[in-house]
């Protein structure tokens, strides 16, 4: 063995320390101090040093993040303290029962406080630190013995390899959940599908599959993260409460869920549950409930555990967002753009408290990829307020009677030919007069974000089109009371109401008008961008594609689609007929956003978080964009303002950390009014 020159050993140590710190700032605090390039440069230098002096390499070197040589199989190790599971509660009543039990068993007059934490839906692990260094990581396994996945866990950037302290505890066993964030999960699945590999069914499966790789170099390429929430054996650390344990772990460099709250009484816990339930769909990771823990650790000890779960904690579960059911049939629907969408008709099943009886299968390729057949048992999911979808089929439950889906060759509504453009996933009916397309366009035209015609719902639109009373939106403004009276279940009163509802809507803002036209790729946001930039309808209709494309937020494909729409004589004719029928576009300076206002927030980047009481998120976004500002999804050093509504979560924490200006709802309103 050649001796390592002291200056080189010293340099390696300096680099290791700097890299650990940079890693912690980036992955745990989400608040980097050095650039990615600087990080890469230091990592490369350390890798070079370690390559030329192999004795320099330590197991907790930041270079270990890239993975170690593959294993033949995982070893196993017993947990020094069993990793228990949790009892579940599904209602306030069950949580109050839990609280009652705790009070009774403790026989104390002292108030009982709780720490409540989001229940991460990932994979439980235990990380063992001796003298401040990660020496072993295990999965939960059966709770008594787990698999040793040390090298894999070393690749998880938010799991510390060394603790951030000069006087580390002698022994520290930390427990936490390894998970994959939604966006990363989608991106991983997208890449897998591209390569012809089977996608993961959900983020938890993706996390579990990635963690249990014998080759940790594969794990290293998977975007895994960790939140820590508990401890096994500790020597040299003795927090008195769960809240203090979390704070101690945080100070040592562990990543703790910023939404965790301590010092809550039981009413506070129930309130927090409701807040979290509302925030759930906005989080970028999966949670399936709230874990409620008696805060005082001496109380925890007195309460003890049953065979599988502690008496001092309970999981207040959210309703599941995935369920299994069976596909009764696959139908094909035709939308307003002519796209044929296969839709699974399901045996009704309750998913997260909502009955689901149909789910979209998106398009032909998706049906093939998921190998979904009529009669199949399937996993369905509902996420937030999006349309339910079929996640995958369960082929092991097939009995041979299932039918493979074929995309029809003709439109199931009008019988015209269907076409699929080579670069597109959608198969489309080519007949613009197809009743399904006409109905879809009219429904869109009358919808809330467009002309917002009260009472003109799907059933009425269908009848109007089927009776030949309406074939384009311009026809709507020519309808009289007697036309409506001829329809099913329409009396003279409701008919008169509808006519006046339509009349009331003749005056409209430019952005709503543009959105209502149903131009492909022109959603509410693009419509606002167009209205802001061009100010009037004629200017939009005649703008060259390059000018449209020059609008920030509008790409070439959108610009082309807008141009194509207005180049078609029939579309220009419909617009003319609307104007002749009395539709009036409010001039921009009379609409609520003035032209000067449009400039007022130019160059400013906003992030919205939490619930605003006076407007929806889309409205807030529209206000910002119509004044020239930008709205992005995540807080970074480039964010100018974070608008924080009720129960704002991790984005607010991040804003505070980064020193980004936070606006309360009233401050935001004031800014909008002044702009
Ligand atoms: S505490 C004795 N806290 O839930 C306490 N568990 O059903 C046991 N989990 O295996 C665990 N987030 O994988 C705790 N904040 C959290 C959690 C959490 C997710 C998981 C963990 C555990 C399972 C128990």
């Amino acid at each position: 063995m050649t001796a390592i020159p002291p200056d080189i050993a010293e340099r390696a140590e300096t680099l290791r320390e700097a890299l650990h710190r940079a890693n912690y700032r980036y992955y745990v605090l989400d608040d980097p101090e050095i650039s990615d390039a600087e990080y890469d440069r230091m990592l490369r230098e350390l890798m070079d040093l370690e390559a030329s002096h192999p004795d320099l390499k330590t197991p907790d070197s930041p270079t270990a993040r890239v993975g170690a040589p593959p294993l033949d199989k995982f070893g196993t190790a017993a947990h020094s303290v069993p990793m228990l599971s949790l009892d579940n509660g599904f209602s306030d009543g069950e949580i109050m029962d839990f609280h009652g039990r705790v009070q009774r068993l403790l026989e104390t007059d002292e108030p009982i406080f709780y720490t409540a934490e989001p229940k991460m839906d990932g994979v439980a692990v235990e990380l063992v630190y001796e003298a401040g260094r990660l020496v072993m990581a295990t999965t939960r396994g059966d709770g008594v013995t787990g698999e040793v996945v040390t090298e894999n866990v070393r690749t998880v950037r938010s799991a510390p390899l060394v603790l951030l302290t000069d006087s580390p505890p002698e022994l520290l066993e930390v427990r936490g959940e390894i998970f994959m964030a939604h966006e990363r999960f989608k991106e991983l699945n997208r890449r897998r599908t591209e390569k012809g590999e089977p996608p993961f069914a959900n983020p938890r499966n993706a996390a579990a599959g990635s963690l249990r790789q014998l080759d940790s170099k594969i794990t290293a390429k998977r975007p895994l993260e960790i939140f820590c929430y508990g401890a096994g054996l500790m020597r040299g650390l003795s927090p008195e409460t769960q809240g203090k344990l979390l704070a101690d772990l945080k100070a040592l460099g562990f990543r703790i869920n910023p939404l965790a709250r301590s010092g809550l009484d039981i009413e506070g816990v129930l309130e927090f549950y409701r807040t979290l339930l509302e925030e759930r769909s906005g989080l970028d990771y999966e949670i399936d409930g709230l874990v409620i823990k008696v805060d005082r650790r001496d109380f925890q000890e007195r309460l003890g555990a049953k065979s599988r779960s502690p008496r001092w904690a309970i999981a207040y579960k959210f309703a599941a967002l995935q369920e299994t059911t069976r596909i009764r049939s696959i139908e094909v629907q035709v939308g307003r753009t002519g796209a044929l969408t296969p839709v699974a008709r399901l045996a009704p099943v309750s998913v997260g408290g909502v009955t689901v009886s149909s789910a979209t299968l998106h398009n032909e390729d998706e049906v093939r990829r998921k190998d979904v057949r009529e009669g199949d048992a399937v996993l369905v999911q509902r996420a937030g307020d999006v349309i339910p979808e079929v996640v995958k089929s369960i082929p092991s439950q097939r009995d041979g009677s299932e039918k493979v889906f074929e995309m029809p060759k003709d439109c199931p509504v009008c019988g015209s030919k269907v076409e699929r453009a080579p670069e597109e996933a959608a198969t489309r009916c080519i007949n613009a007069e197809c009743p399904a397309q006409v109905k879809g366009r009219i429904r869109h035209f009358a919808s809330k974000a467009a002309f917002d015609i009260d009472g003109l719902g799907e059933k009425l639109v269908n009848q109007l089109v089927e009776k030949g009373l309406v074939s384009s939106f311009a026809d709507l403004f020519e309808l009289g009371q007697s036309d409506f009276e001829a329809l099913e279940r329409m009396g003279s009163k409701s008919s008169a109401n509808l006519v006046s509802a339509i009349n009331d809507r003749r005056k409209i803002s430019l952005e709503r008008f543009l959105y209502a036209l149903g131009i492909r790729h022109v959603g509410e946001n693009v419509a606002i961008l167009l209205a802001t930039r061009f100010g009037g309808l004629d200017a939009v209709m005649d703008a060259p594609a390059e000018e449209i494309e020059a609008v920030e937020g509008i790409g070439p494909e959108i610009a082309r689609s807008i141009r194509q729409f207005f180049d078609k004589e029939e579309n220009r004719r419909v617009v003319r007929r609307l104007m002749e029928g009395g539709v009036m576009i409010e001039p921009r300076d009379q609409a609520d956003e003035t032209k000067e206002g449009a400039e007022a927030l130019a160059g400013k980047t906003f992030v919205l978080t939490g619930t605003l009481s006076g407007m929806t998120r889309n409205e807030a976004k529209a206000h910002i964009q119509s004044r020239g500002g930008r709205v992005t999804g995540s807080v970074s050093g480039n964010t100018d303002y974070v608008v924080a509504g009720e129960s704002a979560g991790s984005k607010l924490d991040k804003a505070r950390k980064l020193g980004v200006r936070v606006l309360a709802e009233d401050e935001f309103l004031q800014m909008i009014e002044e702009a």
Side-chain angles (χ1 to χ4, degrees), residues 84-86 117-120 124 140 177 229 291 293 310 312:
L84 297 177
S85 133
L86 287 166
E117 307 155 12
K119 186 169 191 297
M120 303 300 301
R140 174 165 176 266
E177 197 87 348
Y229 50 67
V291 183
K293 302 174 182 175
W312 47 266

